[in-house]
Amino acid sequence: QVQLVESGGGLVQPGGSLRLSCAASGIIFGIRRMGWYRQAPGKERELVADITSGGSTAYADSVKGRFTISRDNAKNTVYLQMNSLKPEDTAVYYCNVSWYDPYRPYVSWGQGTQVTVFS
């Protein structure tokens, strides 16, 4: 059974930093893409950043230059380094992993971790 375990959320003041981690376990074959989404109260879930198995990255315009996504393929772990945090970054952050076995592709979600940026 595939599990995604997230960590690293919390409270931080504007301008501060946090680092999120998401470790995937139970995936025997391969992972294609790993990413982070977020959902603020009253808003739809949105893509923050993702990274392919080859290391290609993509970011939401709102976080470019402030957030950095990276992954450790040996550990099946994805990270999100968040710098210069703003109150509008406050949301629940979800890890998302696209993986596959010999039969079909799958998408799994983490349980979410709260990030709160307050003055």
Side-chain angles (χ1 to χ4, degrees), residues 49-110:
D50 67 10
I51 183 167
T52 68
S53 57
S56 296
T57 59
Y59 295 91
D61 287 343
S62 59
V63 307
K64 284 181 181 176
R66 300 188 297 123
F67 291 9
T68 302
I69 190 169
S70 61
R71 64 189 278 179
D72 184 332
N73 290 331
K75 296 181 179 179
N76 284 348
T77 299
V78 62
Y79 306 94
L80 185 68
Q81 178 65 44
M82 304 185 293
N83 298 328
S84 302
L85 282 161
K86 304 176 181 179
E88 51 263 43
D89 294 318
T90 295
V92 178
Y93 284 70
Y94 297 91
C95 176
N96 173 276
V97 175
S98 300
W99 58 281
Y100 60 93
D101 67 14
Y103 309 105
R104 52 162 287 193
Y106 300 84
V107 176
S108 295
W109 290 91

Side-chain angles (χ1 to χ4, degrees), residues 8-12 16-20 67 80-85 114-117:
L11 300 173
V12 65
S17 298
L18 285 173
R19 188 188 192 214
L20 306 183
F67 291 9
L80 185 68
Q81 178 65 44
M82 304 185 293
N83 298 328
S84 302
L85 282 161
Q114 178 70 47
V115 171
T116 302
V117 185

Side-chain angles (χ1 to χ4, degrees), residues 2-69:
V2 173
Q3 278 192 314
L4 304 182
V5 178
E6 301 165 357
S7 61
L11 300 173
V12 65
Q13 292 185 326
S17 298
L18 285 173
R19 188 188 192 214
L20 306 183
S21 300
C22 172
S25 61
I27 297 176
I28 298 175
F29 274 84
I31 295 176
R32 287 199 173 95
R33 186 188 62 79
M34 305 182 84
W36 291 93
Y37 286 70
R38 68 185 180 187
Q39 188 166 19
K43 294 188 177 181
E44 294 187 352
R45 191 172 296 189
E46 63 174 358
L47 175 67
V48 176
D50 67 10
I51 183 167
T52 68
S53 57
S56 296
T57 59
Y59 295 91
D61 287 343
S62 59
V63 307
K64 284 181 181 176
R66 300 188 297 123
F67 291 9
T68 302
I69 190 169

